[in-house]
Amino acid sequence: MQKVKQARAQVARLELSAAQAAVLEGQAHTARALWNLLHAYVTFRQGRLATLKQCDDAIRTARREIDWMRQLPAQAAQAVLKTYRQAWANFFNPDHPAGRPTFKARLRSRPAVDVPQARDLQIKRINRRWGAVNLPKAGRVRFRWTRDLPGVTQGGPAGRITGARLVKDAFGWQIVFRTEITKAVPIAGTHPGPPVGIDRGITVALALSDQTTREHGPWLSGGEREHLRRLEKKSARQRATHTHGQPTSHRLARTYDQMARLRATAKRRAVDWQHQTTTELAATFSMIVVEDLKIINMVRSAKGTIERPGRNVRQKAGLNRAITGQAWGRTVTLLEYKTRDRGGQVAKVSPAGTSQTCHRCGHRDPAARDGTRFSCTDLACGWIGHADTNAAINIRNAAGTAVSGRGDHGATRSAKRQPPRAA
């Protein structure tokens, strides 16, 4: 065991009065406007980008001369500048997938306000279910107590709170505590469990090389899906009478809010399933091998251009929605830190040929896969089984260790036609 410091986030629901909610709304809109002003100041200059000192001086001048800029606390304004500078650093980093920073639209940005100073929070537990926290310019606010916070309650986890972030979603405002926890974790490579390969899919959410699967049902019930469909049709009718450039009507805004709550419910259920499933996998297996998928490229639109229109656009759009709904990237992110905390590791391998290659003989043929059924076309082999299980075994083999699969008799070959090895 070794003691390490881990940065973690804990989310809690805030109980706000109407006046406090209005204060946070104003701060969030000011933070978004400050981001846009910074972006204009940095990008519309002649020559090089503005330096950190120039941006800081511009913010201080704006807070003195513009009244509504003072709605946002000074520390929160500095946090906006820090986040904006980090966005540019990510963009210039060739190993980071972030794109170029852009302006934030009012209706497409999530309202958020930073509280970078932990000492300003003054957190206290009121009773078993509720705690209280100080928010700048909003006063004392109650929040739902679901987990012990480090450094706040006796007997809680060792560590401290380093700051917080206030975020608004479809259900209201939440506070995200930034914590630094000191925890004893196993040394990497000491996990006693076996290795496993995982194939991420749509029909089968997760197929494992040990011939098991991890699946889930629809995130919304039948009634909820029908309600969402009716709301989407209703919003289309309301948009038909809306004049472009005019403010959105209260009825259309209310419809959008109802749709957002249903979609947020589906996302919460998806994240809950992912957390439970990845926790179980991280506790069971020592090495988890997954494909290094370029998901951004996989969900690109097939619409094309006017000169060269795309083909099967509606089908590709449906496939993109299905891939996005599975949130494959989030699954791997959760697995990475959970396996690391338990002494295991996550390995990524190339996805080339994993679904078209027979794991038993190494023969590769695109025609061998038909939906969820894989039939090896090599007459000397003829293995038949679940296509996702076959892909998961190939994924596991690509990491360097053979795994016995369904119908196997103690020997396998990797997708690269390596010689047989004992299982």
Side-chain angles (χ1 to χ4, degrees), residues 68-126:
W68 56 265
M69 286 287 291
R70 289 193 286 272
Q71 293 184 85
L72 188 66
Q75 296 292 340
Q78 291 298 317
V80 173
L81 174 58
K82 181 179 179 180
T83 305
Y84 181 74
R85 299 290 296 187
Q86 185 61 48
W88 277 109
N90 294 339
F91 171 67
F92 287 123
N93 183 358
D95 298 328
H96 201 284
R100 183 185 179 91
T102 60
F103 291 102
K104 290 189 176 183
R106 180 183 180 90
L107 298 179
R108 296 183 181 179
S109 302
R110 175 179 291 185
V113 182
D114 267 300
V115 186
Q117 298 288 350
R119 65 172 182 266
D120 297 336
L121 297 174
Q122 299 294 316
I123 303 170
K124 183 179 180 181
R125 187 169 188 175
I126 300 174

Side-chain angles (χ1 to χ4, degrees), residues 11-14 16 24 110-111 113 165-169 171-177 268:
V11 184
R13 177 169 56 86
L14 292 173
L16 299 169
L24 295 188
R110 175 179 291 185
V113 182
R165 183 174 176 85
L166 310 175
V167 181
K168 185 183 180 184
D169 63 7
F171 295 99
W173 284 92
Q174 296 178 327
I175 183 169
V176 183
F177 294 105
R268 285 189 174 189

Side-chain angles (χ1 to χ4, degrees), residues 398-416:
T401 304
V403 176
S404 297
R406 185 181 304 162
D408 207 339
H409 298 284
T412 65
R413 290 190 185 183
S414 72
K416 296 182 180 179

Side-chain angles (χ1 to χ4, degrees), residues 120 135 359 364 379 381 390 408:
D120 297 336
L135 301 182
H359 75 274
R364 180 172 177 177
L379 298 179
C381 175
N390 174 74
D408 207 339

Side-chain angles (χ1 to χ4, degrees), residues 123-139:
I123 303 170
K124 183 179 180 181
R125 187 169 188 175
I126 300 174
N127 53 40
R128 184 171 62 89
R129 295 186 175 183
W130 294 96
V133 61
N134 279 352
L135 301 182
K137 298 184 181 293

